[in-house]
mmCIF file of all heavy atoms in Angstrom:
data_model
loop_
_atom_site.group_PDB
_atom_site.id
_atom_site.type_symbol
_atom_site.label_atom_id
_atom_site.label_comp_id
_atom_site.label_asym_id
_atom_site.label_seq_id
_atom_site.Cartn_x
_atom_site.Cartn_y
_atom_site.Cartn_z
ATOM 1 N N GLY A 1402 10.472 -32.260 85.387
ATOM 2 C CA GLY A 1402 10.436 -31.077 84.529
ATOM 3 C C GLY A 1402 9.954 -31.358 83.116
ATOM 4 O O GLY A 1402 10.160 -30.547 82.202
ATOM 5 N N PHE A 1403 9.302 -32.504 82.931
ATOM 6 C CA PHE A 1403 8.858 -32.910 81.586
ATOM 7 C C PHE A 1403 8.037 -31.806 80.914
ATOM 8 O O PHE A 1403 8.296 -31.420 79.778
ATOM 9 C CB PHE A 1403 8.043 -34.199 81.711
ATOM 10 C CG PHE A 1403 7.619 -34.800 80.409
ATOM 11 C CD1 PHE A 1403 8.430 -35.696 79.740
ATOM 12 C CD2 PHE A 1403 6.391 -34.469 79.835
ATOM 13 C CE1 PHE A 1403 8.032 -36.244 78.531
ATOM 14 C CE2 PHE A 1403 5.978 -35.018 78.638
ATOM 15 C CZ PHE A 1403 6.812 -35.907 77.978
ATOM 16 N N ALA A 1404 7.050 -31.273 81.648
ATOM 17 C CA ALA A 1404 6.164 -30.265 81.049
ATOM 18 C C ALA A 1404 6.874 -28.946 80.811
ATOM 19 O O ALA A 1404 6.501 -28.180 79.915
ATOM 20 C CB ALA A 1404 4.945 -30.052 81.935
ATOM 21 N N GLY A 1405 7.912 -28.684 81.599
ATOM 22 C CA GLY A 1405 8.595 -27.402 81.471
ATOM 23 C C GLY A 1405 9.452 -27.268 80.235
ATOM 24 O O GLY A 1405 9.884 -26.150 79.881
ATOM 25 N N VAL A 1406 9.708 -28.382 79.553
ATOM 26 C CA VAL A 1406 10.528 -28.327 78.338
ATOM 27 C C VAL A 1406 9.848 -27.517 77.242
ATOM 28 O O VAL A 1406 10.504 -26.902 76.398
ATOM 29 C CB VAL A 1406 10.832 -29.764 77.856
ATOM 30 C CG1 VAL A 1406 11.469 -29.753 76.469
ATOM 31 C CG2 VAL A 1406 11.738 -30.468 78.835
ATOM 32 N N ALA A 1407 8.516 -27.477 77.253
ATOM 33 C CA ALA A 1407 7.761 -26.882 76.146
ATOM 34 C C ALA A 1407 8.170 -25.446 75.857
ATOM 35 O O ALA A 1407 8.239 -25.031 74.700
ATOM 36 C CB ALA A 1407 6.273 -26.961 76.445
ATOM 37 N N GLN A 1408 8.433 -24.664 76.882
ATOM 38 C CA GLN A 1408 8.743 -23.250 76.670
ATOM 39 C C GLN A 1408 10.038 -23.060 75.896
ATOM 40 O O GLN A 1408 10.217 -22.059 75.201
ATOM 41 C CB GLN A 1408 8.833 -22.533 78.012
ATOM 42 C CG GLN A 1408 9.918 -23.079 78.942
ATOM 43 C CD GLN A 1408 9.951 -22.378 80.271
ATOM 44 O OE1 GLN A 1408 9.979 -21.153 80.303
ATOM 45 N NE2 GLN A 1408 9.932 -23.158 81.363
ATOM 46 N N TYR A 1409 10.960 -24.003 76.006
ATOM 47 C CA TYR A 1409 12.249 -23.871 75.330
ATOM 48 C C TYR A 1409 12.192 -24.321 73.870
ATOM 49 O O TYR A 1409 13.150 -24.150 73.127
ATOM 50 C CB TYR A 1409 13.313 -24.667 76.087
ATOM 51 C CG TYR A 1409 13.511 -24.160 77.491
ATOM 52 C CD1 TYR A 1409 12.957 -24.840 78.574
ATOM 53 C CD2 TYR A 1409 14.224 -22.988 77.736
ATOM 54 C CE1 TYR A 1409 13.117 -24.366 79.870
ATOM 55 C CE2 TYR A 1409 14.380 -22.503 79.025
ATOM 56 C CZ TYR A 1409 13.832 -23.191 80.089
ATOM 57 O OH TYR A 1409 13.989 -22.717 81.356
ATOM 58 N N LEU A 1410 11.063 -24.917 73.492
ATOM 59 C CA LEU A 1410 10.920 -25.370 72.107
ATOM 60 C C LEU A 1410 10.365 -24.281 71.199
ATOM 61 O O LEU A 1410 10.471 -24.395 69.977
ATOM 62 C CB LEU A 1410 10.016 -26.610 72.054
ATOM 63 C CG LEU A 1410 10.443 -27.790 72.934
ATOM 64 C CD1 LEU A 1410 9.495 -28.966 72.723
ATOM 65 C CD2 LEU A 1410 11.878 -28.190 72.666
ATOM 66 N N VAL A 1411 9.791 -23.243 71.781
ATOM 67 C CA VAL A 1411 9.213 -22.165 70.963
ATOM 68 C C VAL A 1411 10.269 -21.458 70.123
ATOM 69 O O VAL A 1411 10.078 -21.250 68.914
ATOM 70 C CB VAL A 1411 8.432 -21.182 71.850
ATOM 71 C CG1 VAL A 1411 7.954 -19.986 71.034
ATOM 72 C CG2 VAL A 1411 7.240 -21.886 72.494
ATOM 73 N N PRO A 1412 11.422 -21.068 70.686
ATOM 74 C CA PRO A 1412 12.431 -20.432 69.826
ATOM 75 C C PRO A 1412 12.997 -21.355 68.747
ATOM 76 O O PRO A 1412 13.625 -20.889 67.805
ATOM 77 C CB PRO A 1412 13.529 -20.032 70.829
ATOM 78 C CG PRO A 1412 12.875 -20.018 72.159
ATOM 79 C CD PRO A 1412 11.843 -21.085 72.099
ATOM 80 N N LEU A 1413 12.743 -22.660 68.884
ATOM 81 C CA LEU A 1413 13.275 -23.628 67.929
ATOM 82 C C LEU A 1413 12.247 -24.034 66.869
ATOM 83 O O LEU A 1413 12.561 -24.869 66.021
ATOM 84 C CB LEU A 1413 13.754 -24.878 68.677
ATOM 85 C CG LEU A 1413 14.815 -24.636 69.753
ATOM 86 C CD1 LEU A 1413 15.147 -25.936 70.461
ATOM 87 C CD2 LEU A 1413 16.069 -24.013 69.156
ATOM 88 N N GLY A 1414 11.036 -23.476 66.941
ATOM 89 C CA GLY A 1414 10.074 -23.764 65.882
ATOM 90 C C GLY A 1414 8.691 -24.131 66.322
ATOM 91 O O GLY A 1414 7.776 -24.187 65.490
ATOM 92 N N ALA A 1415 8.488 -24.421 67.600
ATOM 93 C CA ALA A 1415 7.129 -24.676 68.069
ATOM 94 C C ALA A 1415 6.333 -23.379 68.016
ATOM 95 O O ALA A 1415 6.849 -22.301 68.328
ATOM 96 C CB ALA A 1415 7.144 -25.236 69.487
ATOM 97 N N ALA A 1416 5.072 -23.466 67.609
ATOM 98 C CA ALA A 1416 4.276 -22.257 67.427
ATOM 99 C C ALA A 1416 3.865 -21.633 68.749
ATOM 100 O O ALA A 1416 3.565 -20.439 68.807
ATOM 101 C CB ALA A 1416 3.039 -22.566 66.588
ATOM 102 N N LYS A 1417 3.824 -22.418 69.804
ATOM 103 C CA LYS A 1417 3.422 -21.908 71.113
ATOM 104 C C LYS A 1417 3.902 -22.887 72.165
ATOM 105 O O LYS A 1417 4.416 -23.976 71.855
ATOM 106 C CB LYS A 1417 1.909 -21.740 71.190
ATOM 107 C CG LYS A 1417 1.127 -23.040 71.115
ATOM 108 C CD LYS A 1417 -0.358 -22.802 71.283
ATOM 109 C CE LYS A 1417 -1.133 -24.108 71.389
ATOM 110 N NZ LYS A 1417 -2.564 -23.880 71.592
ATOM 111 N N VAL A 1418 3.741 -22.506 73.405
ATOM 112 C CA VAL A 1418 4.115 -23.389 74.507
ATOM 113 C C VAL A 1418 3.071 -24.502 74.601
ATOM 114 O O VAL A 1418 1.894 -24.247 74.859
ATOM 115 C CB VAL A 1418 4.214 -22.616 75.835
ATOM 116 C CG1 VAL A 1418 4.530 -23.570 76.979
ATOM 117 C CG2 VAL A 1418 5.262 -21.527 75.737
ATOM 118 N N ALA A 1419 3.514 -25.718 74.387
ATOM 119 C CA ALA A 1419 2.599 -26.855 74.407
ATOM 120 C C ALA A 1419 2.281 -27.263 75.837
ATOM 121 O O ALA A 1419 3.090 -27.069 76.750
ATOM 122 C CB ALA A 1419 3.211 -28.021 73.648
ATOM 123 N N ASP A 1420 1.103 -27.828 75.995
ATOM 124 C CA ASP A 1420 0.706 -28.368 77.295
ATOM 125 C C ASP A 1420 1.167 -29.822 77.350
ATOM 126 O O ASP A 1420 0.584 -30.701 76.727
ATOM 127 C CB ASP A 1420 -0.811 -28.282 77.448
ATOM 128 C CG ASP A 1420 -1.280 -28.899 78.756
ATOM 129 O OD1 ASP A 1420 -0.437 -29.076 79.663
ATOM 130 O OD2 ASP A 1420 -2.476 -29.211 78.871
ATOM 131 N N LEU A 1421 2.249 -30.068 78.104
ATOM 132 C CA LEU A 1421 2.814 -31.412 78.184
ATOM 133 C C LEU A 1421 2.429 -32.144 79.460
ATOM 134 O O LEU A 1421 2.912 -33.249 79.706
ATOM 135 C CB LEU A 1421 4.347 -31.330 78.084
ATOM 136 C CG LEU A 1421 4.908 -30.716 76.797
ATOM 137 C CD1 LEU A 1421 6.426 -30.747 76.814
ATOM 138 C CD2 LEU A 1421 4.374 -31.426 75.559
#
Side-chain angles (χ1 to χ4, degrees):
F1403 185 88
V1406 170
Q1408 61 182 310
Y1409 298 102
L1410 305 183
V1411 174
L1413 302 177
K1417 66 177 187 178
V1418 177
D1420 177 18
L1421 300 182

